[in-house]
Amino acid sequence: MILKKLKMSRLIKSFGWALSGLKDCILHEKNFRIQYIIALGVLVAGFVFSISLNEWMIILLSFAVVLCFEIINSAIEKLCDLVMPEYHAVIKKVKDMSASAVLLASIIAFIIGCIIFLPKVISLF
């Protein structure tokens, strides 16, 4: 019984730490805030255009991928800065590759958004 309570306590704490990390990204990571605001805008557009259930699933999955990559990118950049505060060619490559994952996910999410929303916008005219 005590072991179960300890495991539950750790689980609850781990959720708290994860939420703290998310809060930190929202408050202190400019690029994450930009992606987050875009995601909120697309959510509003989804309601305005009454997108289908399948479209919602694709949009939400796209958000998740972009925002998760942005969090991972931020974490990698912070770790690189801690390990090697001065310029280093390998650290630059690591940071650039990490940022490219976010860029690629964002481009694909943008294309998905265009596929879903452009026909709806065009049908208004």
Side-chain angles (χ1 to χ4, degrees):
M1 184 69 169
I2 293 173
L3 187 57
K4 268 189 170 180
K5 284 185 179 183
L6 284 174
K7 285 183 180 181
M8 186 57 76
S9 175
R10 282 190 204 147
L11 179 66
I12 291 169
K13 284 181 182 177
S14 68
F15 277 110
W17 294 323
L19 289 172
S20 175
L22 181 60
K23 178 183 170 188
D24 188 58
C25 282
I26 292 169
L27 294 177
H28 303 291
E29 297 297 326
K30 182 184 75 167
N31 290 338
F32 184 85
R33 276 197 310 272
I34 291 168
Q35 300 285 7
Y36 184 74
I37 290 167
I38 291 169
L40 292 176
V42 174
L43 281 176
V44 170
F47 285 112
V48 168
F49 288 106
S50 300
I51 63 176
S52 72
L53 180 61
N54 286 338
E55 290 169 331
W56 272 117
M57 289 188 293
I58 293 167
I59 291 291
L60 293 174
L61 184 58
S62 296
F63 291 168
V65 169
V66 171
L67 293 173
C68 287
F69 278 157
E70 189 62 59
I71 291 170
I72 292 167
N73 178 52
S74 296
I76 288 171
E77 286 188 2
K78 289 196 181 319
L79 183 60
C80 286
D81 290 344
L82 178 68
V83 171
M84 184 69 61
E86 61 278 353
Y87 176 83
H88 192 281
V90 174
I91 293 293
K92 181 188 180 319
K93 282 190 179 225
V94 169
K95 287 181 167 187
D96 289 351
M97 288 176 181
S98 176
S100 71
V102 179
L103 177 63
L104 183 59
S106 298
I107 290 169
I108 293 169
F110 176 77
I111 292 168
I112 289 169
C114 289
I115 291 168
I116 291 173
F117 289 107
L118 275 180
K120 296 171 184 345
V121 170
I122 291 170
S123 71
L124 293 174
F125 298 105

